[in-house]
Amino acid sequence: TVRTRDLSLPALTVVLAAVDGFNPCAMWVLVFLIGLLLGLPDERRMWLLGGAFLFATAAMYFAVMAAWLELVLAIGSAAWLRVVVGVVAIAAGAWFLWEFRANPDAACRVTDADEKARIMARFRRVVAESRLLPAALGIMALAVAVNLVELVCSAGVPVVYGQILAMSDLSTTAHYAHLTLYLTIFMFDDVAIFVTAM
C-alpha cells in the first residue's frame, strides 16, 4: 500500500519536473530559435522574442496541468480513474524504455522531417518580421502550437503527477504552489540554455 500523504510532495515535484523538462521533442525548437535570434543585430529584440517564447511555453504547460488537476479534483478519487492513470503510467514507461533501446540518438519521432521544416520556415518568417509586437505574438502562437504537439512525448509524467497531487489533502493554494514549483523546475533547463546562449 502506497499512501500519498507519506510522500514528500516537494521532492516528488522536483524529481518529476526535472525528468519532464529534459524533452528532446521540444528542445530542438528552442535551440533552432536561439540560432535565429543570435543572427539579429538588436540585442533587446533577441531577449524579448526569446522571452516571449519561454513565457508562452510556460503559460501553456501550466494551463494544461492546471486543467488536468481541476478535472481530476472534480471527478474525485474514483477507482476507475486511478486505474486509467496507472495504465497510462505503465504504457508511457514501456514506451520510454522502448524508445531508449530503439532510438539511441534520442531523435523525436512525434514530428517528422517535413513538419519540422514547415515549423522552421514559420519561425524564420516571424523572426524576420520588422515590427516587434507582431513578431512576439507570432513567436508565442508558434510556441503554444509546437509545445501542444510535443506534449505527447511526456504526457505520462504530468498525468501521473496531477493524479498524485489531486489525491493529496491540500488546499487550492497548496495545489497551485506545487504546480508553480513543477513549472519552475520544468522550465529551468530551457531558461538556462537561452540565457547562456544570449
Side-chain angles (χ1 to χ4, degrees):
T1 301
V2 177
R3 296 183 296 180
T4 54
R5 66 177 176 271
D6 293 339
L7 297 172
S8 169
L9 267 181
L12 182 68
T13 300
V14 169
V15 170
L16 290 183
V19 169
D20 194 10
F22 287 99
N23 186 345
C25 286
M27 190 66 73
W28 74 269
V29 182
L30 176 63
V31 172
F32 177 73
L33 177 61
I34 288 171
L36 292 178
L37 295 178
L38 290 177
L40 296 177
D42 186 347
E43 187 175 333
R44 176 175 165 271
R45 185 181 173 92
M46 288 165 47
W47 281 96
L48 287 173
L49 292 182
F53 177 87
L54 293 172
F55 174 79
T57 299
M60 183 279 299
Y61 212 82
F62 187 86
V64 168
M65 291 195 68
W68 170 245
L69 175 63
E70 291 299 328
L71 176 65
V72 176
L73 287 171
I75 294 173
S77 58
W80 66 267
L81 183 61
R82 290 198 303 274
V83 170
V84 169
V85 171
V87 169
V88 168
I90 292 169
W95 184 72
F96 286 135
L97 289 173
W98 172 259
E99 277 292 292
F100 178 73
R101 178 177 174 163
N103 187 16
D105 58 350
C108 181
R109 300 190 186 199
V110 175
T111 307
D112 61 23
D114 291 338
E115 183 60 27
K116 281 185 178 179
R118 284 192 288 272
I119 291 169
M120 289 188 286
R122 290 188 194 112
F123 270 103
R124 284 192 191 97
R125 284 196 298 272
V126 170
V127 171
E129 167 64 49
S130 59
R131 295 165 298 166
L132 182 59
L133 184 58
L137 292 176
I139 289 279
M140 292 171 77
L142 282 170
V144 170
V146 169
N147 281 287
L148 277 174
V149 173
E150 310 296 8
L151 188 63
V152 71
C153 287
S154 62
V157 178
V159 165
V160 171
Y161 179 73
Q163 176 69 30
I164 291 172
L165 200 55
M167 291 172 65
S168 303
D169 187 20
L170 299 173
S171 66
T172 301
T173 303
H175 276 139
Y176 281 88
H178 281 86
L179 278 186
T180 303
L181 174 61
Y182 187 102
L183 188 69
T184 301
I185 301 301
F186 174 80
M187 291 297 298
F188 179 79
D189 58 334
D190 287 7
V191 173
I193 289 169
F194 174 70
V195 170
T196 302
M198 292 300 105

